[in-house]
Amino acid sequence: MTSSSPPKKKSWSWRSRAFRGLVYQVIALALIALVLWFLAHNTVQNMRLRGIQSGFDFLAQPAGFDIGESPIPFDSADAYWKAFGVGLANTLRVALIGIVLTTLLGTMLGVGRFSRNALVRGLCYAYVEFFRNIPVLLQLLMWYLLMTELLPASYEAWQVGPVFLSKGGFNVPMPVWAPGHGFMAAGLAVGIVLAALYRRWVIRRFEATGVARSMVLAPIGIALLAGVLGWLAGGAPAAFEMPFKGDYAIEGGAALTPEFMAVLLGLTMYTAAFVAEVVRAGIQSVSGGQAEAAAALGLNRQQEMRLVMLPQALRVIIPPLTNQYLNLTKNSSLAVAIGYPDVVSIANTALNQTGRAVECISIIMLVYLTTSLLTSALMNWYNARAAIKER
């Protein structure tokens, strides 16, 4: 019977490398803290000498300006903090929808580069080379000019059923809120969980038996069915607020402004070109023998790509894909160039009215730092889940 060796005692001697490393780290952190304190103290002193007010107390004051596009109710008498909240909501709305659309479009383009149809391959290649080589700011301006110059005026809006498209934006019917919509949302959430469990079961069955089942349409059907059941359980509310032509604009319903659509289209089309290259590189990193093995199992081209190539390529795709998500979120700050009221636009207005430049810029930095860190944390978690587990 062997006795376990006694635990090593920590050495606090200067001869210990671990102790010296700890001391050096403490000194480095102290120096960084000292430099930050000096910069902050010097800035406050200079601002005080010049009679410049500082502090975040202005956030509780009335903003005194309206916001043209607000997903939450806002009035000019509301406080600055609520105005910043509206700007944050507008930024997140563009970023989240843009990430979803960019992922779908970029994946289709990346997979299309491996199509056996020369026309499809050529179109995907042309798209990538065209959109990724034009600065994103120019693309935002291009989409905005197209929507404000080529589309008809509101009183001559293009109409397809209850849908209107004009210089005033894209107007569609909007459901009138009822408690049944909450049941529908709850049912949809449950359906998404059931769809995820179904996909996991299908993958395990495929690995065990080699029998491929639907991994896209069936999960979507499960989620939608659960949402419909929740809607029915909530009384099946079906009232809609319909848009109609007013004297000067389209009134009623839900509206997507030209500024929002220009920002969303510009960021999506631009970032999708880079995502397509990320997906293409990830698929090319998978050994060609995997495709031959899939063909030997009798899988068709779509099954080969969906079940064999893409799952193995994810370990290469996810890290650079995270960078593209971060770029899309940060590039949304360029929306100020076309008048979209994101957090940068709101901060600029607040800065001009209050003169609190340091505070407003700090809020912008905090918003983008927080969203970037949360995006990175989520993608790192997903990367760990998608990594191939060696046995």
Side-chain angles (χ1 to χ4, degrees), residues 13 29 53 132 147 184 309 346:
S13 171
L29 290 175
Q53 295 181 342
R132 75 172 179 174
M147 291 181 181
M184 182 177 68
M309 305 298 287
I346 300 299

Side-chain angles (χ1 to χ4, degrees), residues 279-336:
V279 173
R280 180 186 63 83
I283 295 174
Q284 281 188 331
S285 70
V286 180
S287 172
Q290 298 295 317
E292 296 174 358
L297 291 174
L299 300 180
N300 58 37
R301 185 75 170 175
Q302 294 180 353
Q303 291 174 332
E304 169 194 322
M305 185 64 68
R306 189 177 74 248
L307 301 175
V308 179
M309 305 298 287
L310 280 177
Q312 296 186 67
L314 276 180
R315 68 184 190 276
V316 179
I317 291 175
I318 294 176
L321 186 63
T322 303
N323 293 334
Q324 298 307 321
Y325 289 166
L326 297 177
N327 289 337
L328 186 148
T329 303
K330 290 181 288 187
N331 285 337
S332 66
S333 61
L334 297 174
V336 67

Side-chain angles (χ1 to χ4, degrees), residues 13-340:
S13 171
W14 187 254
R15 297 180 179 179
S16 171
R17 177 182 296 179
F19 177 72
R20 293 198 305 271
L22 179 62
V23 172
Y24 293 148
Q25 292 179 44
V26 171
I27 293 175
L29 290 175
L31 289 175
I32 293 173
L34 180 62
V35 170
L36 293 176
W37 174 85
F38 172 77
L39 292 175
H41 178 73
N42 191 45
T43 300
V44 172
Q45 287 291 105
N46 289 331
M47 293 174 63
R48 184 178 295 113
L49 291 175
R50 289 164 175 79
I52 301 175
Q53 295 181 342
S54 61
F56 291 91
D57 56 304
F58 75 98
L59 292 175
Q61 301 173 3
F65 60 88
D66 292 321
I67 300 177
E69 185 170 354
S70 175
I72 58 178
F74 180 81
D75 185 75
S76 59
D78 291 331
Y80 276 104
W81 67 263
K82 191 170 184 180
F84 277 100
V86 173
L88 175 60
N90 284 332
T91 296
L92 293 178
R93 183 169 61 144
V94 167
L96 294 177
I97 299 176
I99 285 174
V100 174
L101 296 180
T102 295
T103 303
L104 296 175
L105 180 58
T107 301
M108 290 190 294
L109 290 169
V111 173
R113 294 289 297 275
F114 296 91
S115 174
R116 293 175 180 174
N117 189 308
L119 179 60
V120 173
R121 289 199 311 272
L123 290 176
C124 293
Y125 175 76
Y127 177 96
V128 171
E129 294 303 320
F130 179 79
F131 281 97
R132 75 172 179 174
N133 288 303
I134 299 178
V136 61
L137 179 58
L138 293 181
Q139 295 194 37
L140 296 182
L141 294 174
M142 177 192 70
W143 285 111
Y144 183 68
L145 290 175
L146 287 176
M147 291 181 181
T148 55
E149 296 295 331
L150 298 183
L151 292 180
S154 298
Y155 58 85
E156 296 177 342
W158 295 336
Q159 181 177 0
V160 179
V163 177
F164 296 85
L165 179 62
S166 67
K167 291 181 180 180
F170 186 62
N171 300 79
V172 295
M174 180 177 65
V176 178
W177 173 256
H181 292 119
F183 285 90
M184 182 177 68
L188 188 61
V190 173
I192 292 174
V193 174
L194 294 177
L197 295 175
Y198 171 81
R199 272 182 59 88
R200 182 177 298 181
W201 175 79
V202 167
I203 292 174
R204 290 178 178 175
R205 291 287 298 174
F206 173 72
E207 293 175 348
T209 64
V211 178
R213 298 175 183 269
S214 173
M215 296 180 62
V216 178
L217 296 180
I220 293 176
I222 292 174
L224 293 179
L225 178 61
V228 170
L229 292 177
W231 176 69
L232 293 174
F240 281 84
E241 180 184 349
M242 308 300 290
F244 61 93
K245 287 185 179 181
D247 294 334
Y248 303 101
I250 305 298
E251 301 178 5
L256 301 179
T257 64
E259 292 80 9
F260 172 76
M261 291 191 295
V263 173
L264 183 62
L265 285 173
L267 293 178
T268 299
M269 304 288 275
Y270 176 78
T271 313
F274 292 90
V275 172
E277 287 296 277
V278 169
V279 173
R280 180 186 63 83
I283 295 174
Q284 281 188 331
S285 70
V286 180
S287 172
Q290 298 295 317
E292 296 174 358
L297 291 174
L299 300 180
N300 58 37
R301 185 75 170 175
Q302 294 180 353
Q303 291 174 332
E304 169 194 322
M305 185 64 68
R306 189 177 74 248
L307 301 175
V308 179
M309 305 298 287
L310 280 177
Q312 296 186 67
L314 276 180
R315 68 184 190 276
V316 179
I317 291 175
I318 294 176
L321 186 63
T322 303
N323 293 334
Q324 298 307 321
Y325 289 166
L326 297 177
N327 289 337
L328 186 148
T329 303
K330 290 181 288 187
N331 285 337
S332 66
S333 61
L334 297 174
V336 67
I338 59 175
Y340 180 69

